Amino acid sequence: RNDHMTVKKWYLIRHGETDFNKKRFFYGKADVSINETGKEQASKIHQLLKGRAISRIYTSQLKRTLETAAIIFPDQNPTAYKALNERDFGLWEGRTANEIQAAFPLVWEEWLESPFDVTPSKAEPFQKFKDRVQSIVEEIRETEDDEIGIVGHLGVLRLIYQFLVDPEADFWSIDIPQGTVLLLEDKDPWEETLLTEGGEKDPASES
């Protein structure tokens, strides 16, 4: 472990709800705005994080994260990285699971069997997605800031959690509900706290 300063507190925040979330579409690259519910979720997080010393905010270059960040951190000027964009789901974008299953039955079955090895038609391969997120996390980690916020996409935030806290964590089980904040603190080992309107809780005690 190096002695030089690294980021100590990571506030992981999922963007507010979009109509695509509501319709349960698979999507990543599609650049849709947050809806009214999403704006309300962001306002709640704005209240939740009042008074915290978060000195830098990172987002993706997709407007659902930028719009969410603008409501939560109105006084900050976020750094928007393309490497934090959600995975591109290719021809599966903007379709529900049932529609994908109907249109691409074979690949769908294969993908369900091994979602990290099978790449949907024209989608970004999972390994490539993972590598780009990891490289940006390593870069952010070495910055001068003590406490940072990442307003991101669920897939990206799951990877960040795996890189920082637990590489063995099940990707699909890592959950950051919209309207909550997962705080990761580098205390060697890492501590995690889910910040919600009703107070704080240790996510591990949920299972």
Side-chain angles (χ1 to χ4, degrees):
R1 210 189 163 81
N2 328 354
D3 286 336
H4 75 282
M5 292 303 290
T6 52
V7 176
K8 290 288 169 260
K9 289 188 177 185
W10 299 65
Y11 293 84
L12 302 188
I13 303 164
R14 193 176 166 202
H15 63 78
E17 185 187 82
T18 69
D19 288 344
F20 275 28
N21 291 140
K22 212 167 149 181
K23 295 173 176 157
R24 303 191 71 83
F25 285 168
F26 273 67
Y27 76 113
K29 195 177 67 169
D31 201 6
V32 291
S33 283
I34 60 175
N35 58 24
E36 286 310 310
T37 305
K39 289 173 188 166
E40 283 164 28
Q41 290 163 340
S43 301
K44 282 178 187 166
I45 295 177
H46 172 70
Q47 296 300 330
L48 267 183
L49 295 180
K50 269 202 165 134
R52 296 198 178 240
I54 304 172
S55 51
R56 196 195 286 256
I57 307 304
Y58 298 92
T59 66
S60 73
Q61 289 182 353
L62 298 167
K63 57 190 174 204
R64 53 190 181 272
T65 65
L66 290 160
E67 291 165 353
T68 303
I71 297 171
I72 301 174
F73 304 105
D75 307 329
Q76 296 255 26
N77 192 8
T79 306
Y81 280 126
K82 194 175 181 197
L84 289 172
N85 283 8
E86 182 60 288
R87 181 184 180 190
D88 176 357
F89 271 93
L91 299 182
W92 290 13
E93 293 259 335
R95 302 175 190 239
T96 62
N98 290 343
E99 289 167 346
I100 295 166
Q101 191 176 6
F104 308 96
L106 293 174
V107 184
W108 175 252
E109 287 305 320
E110 287 174 6
W111 183 79
L112 287 179
E113 283 296 307
S114 36
F116 304 117
D117 305 318
V118 173
T119 305
S121 318
K122 301 226 190 317
E124 178 180 21
F126 189 80
Q127 193 56 49
K128 194 176 163 217
F129 171 48
K130 197 171 173 174
D131 290 345
R132 71 169 158 89
V133 175
Q134 181 160 10
S135 65
I136 200 73
V137 168
E138 285 166 0
E139 198 175 305
I140 291 171
R141 192 173 185 175
E142 301 302 319
T143 56
E144 299 297 297
D145 304 281
D146 207 32
E147 305 193 14
I148 59 127
I150 296 181
V151 182
H153 307 272
L154 187 56
V156 174
L157 297 176
R158 282 171 166 164
L159 288 177
I160 294 173
Y161 179 89
Q162 285 182 331
F163 295 140
L164 294 177
V165 182
D166 181 9
E168 299 303 306
D170 175 52
F171 182 82
W172 309 106
S173 305
I174 302 165
D175 193 27
I176 305 173
Q178 283 165 324
T180 69
V181 178
L182 183 60
L183 168 58
L184 303 179
E185 295 181 77
D186 188 356
K187 291 186 170 172
D188 199 17
W190 287 78
E191 282 182 15
E192 50 187 289
T193 316
L194 192 66
L195 309 178
T196 67
E197 264 191 308
E200 306 186 354
K201 53 185 179 184
D202 172 3
S205 63
E206 293 299 281
S207 49

